[in-house]
Amino acid sequence: MEQLIKDKIIQVKRGNRAAFEEVVAFFQDRIYHHCLRMIGNAHEAEDIAQEVFIRAYVNIHSFDERRKFSTWLYRIATNLTIDRIRKRKPDYYLDAEIKGTDGLDMYSQLASDHRQPDEEVEGLELKQFIHNEIANLPAKYRSIIMLRYIEEFSLNEISEIMDMPLGTVKTRIHRGREALRKKLRHV
Amino acid sequence: MKCKKEAIELMHRYLDGDILKEEETTLRKHLEECETCQQHFHELKRTVTLLQSTENIQAPDHFTASVMAKLPPEKKHVKYIKWFKLHPVLTAAAIFFIFMFGGVLTSWNQDNQLVVSKQEDLIIDGETVIVPHDVTVEGDLVVKNGNLIIEGTVDGNVTIINGQLIDEQPFDQEGLMASVGEVNGELTHVDQVFEWMLYHIKSFFKNVFAVD
């Protein structure tokens, strides 16, 4: 598969647009999934995922084909999503007190995430719960946990994608795992 | 609890596949003795399993199509460059012809001025060059961008480029040669671009192979 993608990229570099279509089709689900988990909003995620592929196409000549294409593509994806999260202005703060109420804040308006353990049953609901917990992680742990356990990159590849030292990747993955352990221990 | 911190560090290294053989033995031994750590380790492994079990999400329909539609248009010059790269011989030939035709055409178009190779004793009247009755031109005569009337004699070849030889007495019954003055050589008439080129090429080769 890796070799097939490599050949396609060489064709794209030579100006073959149709070859890029196959590359998009191959990676679309994974990239969209990553963006959705990072951003949490389907519409915005689709937007960013498309932007990822457009940037990849425009900058294809800066890709060194001796390296792994997926790492390069994910690097664009993580940069774009993290950028978007940073720029995003919160519409409201959860701790802000609601006017006209006595000490009620926005937290009280949210449906509780913490259902009783016996409610958190099998199947889709459990998967949804796990996704929620991933989504609640701080972005810097979230991206790394996603890359490690959902996209299944090696630690070295993650360090390349995130452009950070291997040691930092390990520390973040340890902390992310600990944080999730605490959330998921009762499931 | 000192054991906890060290043991947890080892657990994470185990999960990252980063653990040494003897460290793994230490961890294993510790887990057998310490129930808290055992529980912790179990929870961590379960977290990883849960994370890996999450379903994969598919991109929305027509995702690829809309990406392709949003790509910047292929630049035209890129297409040309591609073509040129694929056909180097044709490209070289095309460039050669562009320069060659360009050179000939500019020299054809640019000098619209009347040029006469010899001027002694000739009368120049606007765009017309007249060889008077009593004059004999020694050697070849070239007239460019003008008409020529020969009343006298030319001792050599006559070449008229982009002009005409004008017959002064068109009603002379004796025909052209009589009415025209005497030309003791070839009379060449050039007024087409192709002939002009041919003339150029001919004179070029003549110069090259000229034997004095």
Side-chain angles (χ1 to χ4, degrees):
Chain A
M1 204 64 229
E2 190 64 27
Q3 190 53 45
L4 190 79
I5 292 296
K6 219 164 250 181
D7 292 345
K8 294 285 169 214
I9 298 301
I10 291 169
Q11 287 177 36
V12 174
K13 279 194 173 182
R14 288 192 188 136
N16 184 349
R17 259 171 104 111
F20 191 68
E21 193 164 354
E22 293 172 54
V23 175
V24 178
F26 183 73
F27 283 107
Q28 59 171 2
D29 292 342
R30 293 164 64 190
I31 291 290
Y32 173 73
H33 188 183
H34 185 85
C35 294
L36 181 63
R37 290 293 160 233
M38 288 302 290
I39 297 290
N41 165 322
H43 185 73
E44 227 178 321
E46 188 181 349
D47 237 35
I48 292 188
Q50 289 187 357
E51 181 67 25
V52 170
F53 287 108
I54 292 166
R55 292 230 183 157
Y57 181 80
V58 171
N59 298 310
I60 196 75
H61 289 283
S62 69
F63 169 66
D64 176 358
E65 63 257 31
R66 283 166 298 181
R67 297 169 75 181
K68 216 173 157 189
F69 181 72
S70 58
T71 340
W72 188 73
L73 193 62
Y74 269 97
R75 186 165 182 168
I76 301 177
T78 36
N79 285 343
L80 281 178
T81 46
I82 289 173
D83 231 43
R84 177 65 65 99
I85 292 168
R86 266 191 211 132
K87 278 184 195 153
R88 191 191 267 168
K89 286 184 195 143
D91 293 335
Y92 47 80
Y93 293 93
L94 288 175
D95 343 327
E97 194 175 299
I98 301 169
K99 276 179 188 165
T101 59
D102 190 17
L104 273 183
D105 59 24
M106 286 300 279
Y107 278 118
S108 60
Q109 303 298 303
L110 294 175
S112 171
D113 269 349
H114 297 283
R115 284 165 291 183
Q116 295 306 305
D118 57 344
E119 269 185 78
E120 289 157 3
V121 274
E122 305 96 321
L124 280 175
E125 224 171 300
L126 172 65
K127 285 175 178 168
Q128 192 52 50
F129 179 76
I130 296 168
H131 280 311
N132 281 343
E133 292 307 337
I134 296 175
N136 287 335
L137 281 178
K140 61 178 181 176
Y141 301 142
R142 183 161 72 228
S143 52
I144 288 180
I145 289 286
M146 288 284 303
L147 291 171
R148 183 75 189 97
Y149 290 112
I150 312 244
E151 279 99 7
E152 300 187 322
F153 281 106
S154 73
L155 293 177
N156 277 317
E157 284 168 340
I158 295 173
S159 128
E160 198 179 310
I161 291 170
M162 303 294 293
D163 196 20
M164 53 174 65
L166 190 59
T168 317
V169 172
K170 283 182 186 167
T171 313
R172 290 195 180 178
I173 227 166
H174 294 187
R175 294 199 183 139
R177 246 182 335 228
E178 281 298 333
L180 282 172
R181 180 189 68 87
K182 282 175 196 149
K183 302 255 178 71
L184 300 177
R185 67 198 295 183
H186 300 300
V187 177
Chain B
M1 234 209 280
K2 192 184 156 235
C3 81
K4 187 111 183 172
K5 206 175 173 193
E6 274 171 31
I8 288 173
E9 177 62 29
L10 286 182
M11 286 176 208
H12 282 290
R13 285 170 63 178
Y14 173 85
L15 290 173
D16 288 341
D18 233 10
I19 198 165
L20 298 172
K21 198 100 191 155
E22 53 264 41
E23 288 174 330
E24 197 180 332
T25 323
T26 318
L27 178 65
R28 210 174 284 279
K29 271 190 186 152
H30 179 73
L31 288 179
E32 278 166 20
E33 293 159 8
C34 175
E35 210 170 305
T36 332
C37 280
Q38 207 179 54
Q39 175 68 17
H40 193 112
F41 189 53
H42 174 74
E43 284 170 12
L44 274 178
K45 282 210 288 192
R46 189 143 179 280
T47 303
V48 170
T49 317
L50 284 173
L51 283 174
Q52 283 168 334
S53 73
T54 56
E55 91 277 32
N56 280 318
I57 288 178
Q58 288 189 342
D61 291 346
H62 314 300
F63 182 90
T64 303
S66 51
V67 168
M68 293 311 285
K70 282 183 188 170
L71 290 186
E74 220 174 337
K75 284 175 197 151
K76 275 216 171 119
H77 76 262
V78 175
K79 279 188 204 160
Y80 292 136
I81 289 169
K82 242 190 292 169
W83 191 88
F84 286 146
K85 277 183 184 160
L86 288 174
H87 306 90
V89 175
L90 283 180
T91 308
I95 291 171
F96 174 76
F97 275 104
I98 287 168
F99 279 119
M100 201 183 112
F101 279 104
V104 171
L105 283 175
T106 36
S107 68
W108 171 260
N109 286 329
Q110 270 175 359
D111 22 77
N112 279 324
Q113 278 174 314
L114 176 68
V115 178
V116 186
S117 62
K118 281 179 186 155
Q119 278 179 334
E120 317 141 29
D121 304 325
L122 300 181
I123 300 167
I124 297 172
D125 178 15
E127 296 209 323
T128 310
V129 179
I130 302 166
V131 182
H133 267 299
D134 48 343
V135 171
T136 304
V137 178
E138 310 253 336
D140 299 346
L141 177 66
V142 178
V143 177
K144 207 165 156 189
N145 301 318
N147 300 324
L148 178 66
I149 300 169
I150 301 173
E151 290 165 354
T153 318
V154 179
D155 256 349
N157 300 331
V158 173
T159 308
I160 304 167
I161 299 160
N162 208 14
Q164 281 181 313
L165 181 69
I166 294 174
D167 189 352
E168 272 284 75
Q169 294 123 330
F171 303 112
D172 196 310
Q173 297 296 313
E174 289 177 72
L176 192 72
M177 283 313 288
S179 64
V180 171
E182 242 178 292
V183 178
N184 300 322
E186 276 180 62
L187 176 68
T188 322
H189 212 167
V190 182
D191 56 6
Q192 298 285 328
V193 175
F194 274 109
E195 289 183 43
W196 163 241
M197 276 166 43
L198 212 66
Y199 167 76
H200 253 296
I201 292 166
K202 258 196 218 162
S203 56
F204 173 73
F205 280 107
K206 258 186 206 161
N207 286 338
V208 169
F209 298 110
V211 184
D212 289 324

